[in-house]
Amino acid sequence: MQTFLTAAALIPAGMVPASIPSPDWSGFDIPLPWGSLRIHAYALCILAGIVVGLWLTSVRWARRGAPEGSVWDIAIWAIPFGIIGGRLYHVFSSPDAYFGPGFDGTGDLSLIPQIQRGGLGIWGAVVLGAFGAWIGCRRAGVKLTAFIDAAAPGLLLAQALGRWGNYFNQELFGGPTTLPWGLQVDADNANFPAGYPADTLFHPTFLYESLWNIAGVLILLALDRRFHFRRGRLFWLYAMYYTLGRVWIEAMRIDDAEQISLFGITTRLNVWTSIFVFIAALAVFIWLGRRKGGNPDSVYLPGREPAPAVSAEADAGEPPSVKADGGKPAGVATAVSASGPDSTKGSASASNVTGNPVRDTDPVVSDSESRDNLPDNQNGSGLASAQTEAVPASTGGTPSAAESRNTGKSGGTDTGTAPEADSSR
């Protein structure tokens, strides 16, 4: 920050132009009993990109209903494969330092595993990383296409942060520029291009790509929210967006790289790779959009779906005869309804359903009453007696219609309730 303020203060005097200063450090040492461990800023940027990218991926993966913790089961395969693939692509796309010019054997093979010096090709990282992710997805029982859709914005975010490792290594910059955001490179650095003055400023291509990737993260998230891409289409959209920017950013770089001539045009290998990947990604994106069938919203492989949740009633072992009638079994509810809401004897008989058997569930006349009144029933007086006893019991002692009729026969006044009594009988 102090360097930026100093440069800004000196601009009016015309002493130095505004610029992005070269880094003051590229790492630090951790003392150990047998020496020291060098922690490179390049590695810290890559690690920060992985952590942030995994965070965004885990959030999106969980929202799609994926198994809890499966993102880490997949990442443990994808990340090592991605690092190895990225290194292999860089070695074979820039082979001079490792195999010598023209593969004449004058290179240094011991430099190949030294990734702290920089050099991870995104194409190899994506291809071999996807293979590692496929292994992890198979083990977790989820679809690779669902995972790479969830991971696409996180992958682009990881690249945006990882690109700052090139800044601390002072590498992969563009041609000379007089723009106020030109990049300073130490003249004594091994990556400073020969033939340029020491105060030359260069295009900060690492910054261009980082900003391009951050904008891409926002675009992918917005498009996915709007269109809900599935079957890997968001990943191929990521590939199209990234390669579109990589073409013009890669064309600005002046570091040594493999040159390829196609269709009468000679340019860097990564430029041609970006063009071909863009065309292939566009074709696959269109083809997947026309594909039908299956369940694109499910993240699980066929046959690996989780078992449906068992209901609470089934877990408790409650019999199917239980109804929502106050928690009573079906037999009790039926007996209560048959006895009538106002009958005291009916309630008693209902309560006996789960206890001793009931000989007669008639709420009006019991078995003993039937035997006592049998002589009277033959001449008709028993019926009137039973009705006279039953109705007051059910109405709480209110005179019944039968009593009114008997009163009428003995010369009393008829209350007018006899028709209802006749009809109910």
Side-chain angles (χ1 to χ4, degrees), residues 144-389:
L144 175 63
T145 54
F147 178 77
I148 60 178
D149 273 342
L155 179 58
L156 203 54
L157 183 59
Q159 292 175 242
L161 294 181
R163 269 304 175 195
W164 282 85
N166 300 136
Y167 166 71
F168 289 103
N169 278 1
Q170 300 191 57
E171 61 183 358
L172 307 185
F173 42 82
T177 182
T178 58
L179 293 172
W181 56 80
L183 176 66
Q184 295 180 10
V185 178
D186 293 334
D188 58 350
N189 188 281
N191 295 321
F192 191 90
Y196 289 95
D199 60 351
T200 302
L201 301 179
F202 301 92
H203 278 287
T205 52
F206 80 91
L207 178 61
Y208 298 160
E209 184 171 331
S210 181
L211 295 176
W212 176 267
N213 291 347
I214 292 175
V217 173
L218 300 177
I219 292 172
L220 289 181
L221 292 176
L223 290 177
D224 190 39
R225 176 174 295 184
R226 173 65 177 83
F227 298 103
H228 305 286
F229 291 113
R230 296 294 186 269
R231 295 193 176 95
R233 296 186 77 203
L234 190 68
F235 173 81
W236 293 108
L237 192 61
Y238 145 80
M240 285 189 287
Y241 177 86
Y242 177 73
T243 53
L244 186 63
R246 187 65 184 267
V247 167
W248 63 270
I249 294 173
E250 188 74 22
M252 299 176 66
R253 285 168 45 174
I254 59 174
D255 55 293
D256 294 335
E258 194 75 12
Q259 301 290 318
I260 302 294
S261 296
L262 291 174
F263 312 109
I265 302 174
T266 301
T267 188
R268 299 165 68 92
L269 171 62
N270 284 334
V271 174
W272 287 118
T273 303
S274 299
I275 293 173
F276 292 138
V277 171
F278 177 86
I279 295 173
L282 177 61
V284 175
F285 179 83
I286 295 174
W287 176 72
L288 290 175
R290 296 180 177 180
R291 184 181 174 187
K292 304 297 182 182
N295 183 10
D297 291 327
S298 175
V299 302
Y300 292 94
L301 290 170
R304 302 290 295 273
E305 298 87 353
V310 181
S311 64
E313 289 187 3
D315 290 340
E318 200 166 356
S321 61
V322 174
K323 297 173 62 177
D325 188 6
K328 300 181 181 67
V332 175
T334 303
V336 171
S337 62
S339 64
D342 298 328
S343 177
T344 304
K345 296 181 180 180
S347 300
S349 64
S351 63
N352 290 332
V353 170
T354 57
N356 297 327
V358 179
R359 297 176 59 188
D360 192 347
T361 59
D362 189 344
V364 179
V365 182
S366 65
D367 190 25
S368 60
E369 291 172 335
S370 299
R371 290 194 298 269
D372 293 341
N373 297 327
L374 183 58
D376 296 333
N377 287 343
Q378 294 176 354
N379 55 18
S381 62
L383 177 59
S385 175
Q387 290 176 341
T388 304
E389 293 179 3

Side-chain angles (χ1 to χ4, degrees), residues 6-7 9-18 199:
T6 302
L10 294 177
I11 290 175
M15 296 183 65
V16 295
D199 60 351

